[in-house]
Amino acid sequence: MKARTALLVLLTAGVVGTAAWLVFFSPVLGVRSIDIVGNITVPTDRVRQQAAVPALHPLATVDLAGVEARVLGIRRLATARAERVWPGTLRIEVVEREPVAALQVGGKAAVVDKHGVVIEVKDTVPPLLPVLVVDRPAAGDPATTAALQVIQHLPGELVGRVRQVRATTAEGVSLTLSDGRSVVWGGTDRGEEKGRILTRLLRRKADVYDVSSPDVVTLR
């Protein structure tokens, strides 16, 4: 009886050991494909290369957090999420940063997202992106943050018509349109309301439209 029990224990241990070897050490359940989801402008091969996971590396031991951190080394990406899909696929879902404005620095155009993070640097400002003019351009700078928030509040029909967004302070945001007209926007409060009002006002002829106080708008 004791011999039979010992044999069962050995057999069980052998099965468990083999299973553990297959999952954690052997290439049998290794990474055979890396699927990239959500990328639009960033090439799939670039994300795979940045993930740096060797072929046939045991899927169970892939450091998912490490993969995500490496993939986020691509400046264009805002988020990355890695997960295991058995038996042999590593799936990486990414979200790209969307360009909302450009800063002119040293003869170049630094394209930034809604948080002020530089996505890429180009020779010229991309079409339809407004130029951001602030004293201390940086993510977290109050004036920069305010200007970017204002851009987010602009109605769709106005976004392509704004050529410059200037912010002297967080409460001193102004716009220059493609036809030369100016808009005094003020602070970030009541942004959607200001956008609706401005859309209506632009049907009237003027050089300057002041919507900084939506209750009392002025045209000059």
Side-chain angles (χ1 to χ4, degrees), residues 14 127 207:
D207 293 322

Side-chain angles (χ1 to χ4, degrees), residues 6 17 37 39 60 76 87 97 99 107 111 126 146-147 153 187 197 207 210:
V37 180
N39 58 314
R76 185 88 193 198
R97 296 184 185 277
V111 179
H153 286 135
I197 292 172
D207 293 322
D210 190 336

Side-chain angles (χ1 to χ4, degrees), residues 3 10 21 23 57 69 72 81 86-87 125 146 162 170 198 200-201 216:
L10 288 173
W21 179 80
V23 172
H57 180 97
L72 287 178
R81 181 175 179 272
W86 298 98
V125 176
V162 176
L198 178 60
R200 293 196 301 269
L201 287 179
V216 185

